[in-house]
Amino acid sequence: MGTDRTFGLVVTLTALAYIASATQIQTSFLTDPVGPRMFPMLIGCVAVICGVVVMVRPDPNPDWPAMRTFGSLLVAVVVLIAYAYSLKPLGFLFPTAITAAILSYQINPHAGRSIAAGIGLSAGLFLIFKFALGLGLVAFPKGLIG
């Protein structure tokens, strides 16, 4: 019960820090009415609510996952941080395919399916983001396409 409350407190404090950092996002005067701050602030608010609920109503017999699960989560966090830093220099398709393949492999350790999932997700997400949502994504590194 105490570990749940500690976890809820950590989640709440992290979410509050996340919301505080979201308020620092620079916006230009030509942005849409919602602005780029709304999405991270919304996620932070949901995380605060979840953290408070866990603190108020902890599980009487919490069942924490094994250390292997925490290792997998650490790998996922490292991969996602590397993904965020690789998007600008490498474009969208390569980093997304590699990241999706690694995360897919963690879910189901089958190399062929993971590679196919990575390539499929990368291409599918690029098409949706670029053409359906109109985002200005760069597919490949600028040095590669000139």
Side-chain angles (χ1 to χ4, degrees):
M1 188 184 291
T3 56
D4 275 7
R5 287 198 168 122
T6 303
F7 178 73
L9 179 66
V10 169
V11 168
T12 302
L13 293 176
T14 303
L16 289 173
Y18 184 73
I19 291 170
S21 68
T23 61
Q24 305 298 317
I25 294 173
Q26 299 288 330
T27 59
S28 69
F29 66 95
L30 292 175
T31 60
D32 59 283
V34 176
R37 295 181 188 159
M38 184 55 73
F39 185 69
M41 290 178 79
L42 221 116
I43 289 179
C45 290
V46 170
V48 166
I49 292 169
C50 292
V52 169
V53 166
V54 169
M55 282 192 300
V56 172
R57 297 192 60 196
D59 188 355
N61 297 317
D63 189 21
W64 287 89
M67 288 305 290
R68 186 173 190 267
T69 303
F70 287 113
S72 296
L73 289 172
L74 180 65
V75 168
V77 168
V78 169
V79 167
L80 289 172
I81 289 171
Y83 173 65
Y85 281 104
S86 66
L87 276 174
K88 191 169 185 177
L90 298 177
F92 184 82
L93 291 176
F94 291 138
T96 303
I98 293 168
T99 301
I102 292 171
L103 296 178
S104 176
Y105 187 80
Q106 281 194 312
I107 294 170
N108 185 5
H110 189 276
R113 291 181 193 156
S114 299
I115 292 170
I119 292 170
L121 277 171
S122 177
L125 289 174
F126 181 79
L127 292 174
I128 291 171
F129 291 158
K130 181 80 175 180
F131 299 109
L133 299 177
L135 298 179
L137 293 178
V138 177
F140 298 104
K142 291 188 178 184
L144 189 65
I145 57 175

